[in-house]
Amino acid sequence: AQDRCMTDVLELGRGSGIDVDALGDAASERLEAEACSLASSIAAVTCRWLLVVGELDRRETWRSWGCRGMGHWLAWKCGMALGTARHHLDVARRLPELPRIQARFAAGTLSFSKVRALCRVATPETEAVLIELADSGTAAQLERMLTAYQKAIDKAAASDRAADRHRALRV
């Protein structure tokens, strides 16, 4: 059964105009360029898909299907794991607030991994600087930098709250 499944996958690739056999004959440089081009296209299409998902979420169309939320609708209708659906939905909800990140994602110059990391911490005021950070490294490096950045923001906010409480006691 597994062999039949693999045969079906290969046939599907051949039937869609993809010459699977030719990939083995292609120069590595050509395949690298194609991989990068396709990754850019995937990012652009993913951005558009997330904007559609965000609009469906705002309209609460999932209710008409009896779903508990948009994440459940995505898991059901788009065949993704619920955790993955939630990650995508988090980004879909933030994209309209972050026009620079959205534009770079739509152009295919920021990957979903980087956009997801940026959407966790970016504000309209900080997105330009954070995009520069995203451009300077890998998605994993960006995740580490933004985690440290968020911890610093949280620590500063906690310090400000403590100072406010201290001032209130002196009054």
Side-chain angles (χ1 to χ4, degrees):
Q2 190 173 8
D3 289 340
R4 177 69 186 137
C5 184
M6 183 53 77
T7 302
D8 290 347
V9 168
L10 291 173
E11 287 304 314
L12 179 64
R14 287 185 183 98
S16 63
I18 298 171
D19 188 354
V20 176
D21 296 327
L23 292 176
D25 298 332
S28 295
E29 294 81 11
R30 182 177 158 266
L31 291 174
E32 288 173 357
E34 185 175 358
C36 291
S37 176
L38 290 169
S40 178
S41 296
I42 289 167
V45 169
T46 301
C47 180
R48 174 66 182 170
W49 179 72
L50 288 173
L51 292 171
V52 169
V53 165
E55 183 58 29
L56 289 170
D57 183 47
R58 277 184 286 291
R59 294 179 185 189
E60 297 185 350
T61 57
W62 46 269
R63 288 185 186 278
S64 66
W65 292 95
C67 294
R68 287 188 273 170
M70 191 63 190
H72 289 270
W73 185 90
L74 286 171
W76 174 46
K77 295 294 259 180
C78 296
M80 38 179 49
L82 188 55
T84 302
R86 288 181 176 142
H87 287 302
H88 282 85
L89 190 53
D90 289 342
V91 174
R93 289 175 175 160
R94 289 297 319 279
L95 278 177
E97 305 166 22
L98 303 166
R100 289 181 177 103
I101 291 170
Q102 183 186 121
R104 291 285 307 277
F105 192 22
T109 58
L110 281 177
S111 68
F112 174 77
S113 295
K114 288 184 176 185
V115 170
R116 189 179 96 189
L118 290 167
C119 282
R120 283 192 208 117
V121 299
T123 65
E125 296 77 31
T126 63
E127 68 176 324
V129 171
L130 294 178
I131 287 170
E132 287 182 33
L133 210 57
D135 288 340
S136 69
T138 67
Q141 291 167 334
L142 180 64
E143 285 277 0
R144 287 191 298 275
M145 289 185 281
L146 293 180
T147 297
Y149 173 75
Q150 187 62 54
K151 285 180 183 176
I153 289 173
D154 293 346
K155 187 175 180 180
S159 178
D160 288 347
R161 286 190 300 274
D164 289 345
R165 285 192 301 273
H166 183 70
R167 277 193 291 280
L169 290 173
R170 289 189 312 186
V171 174

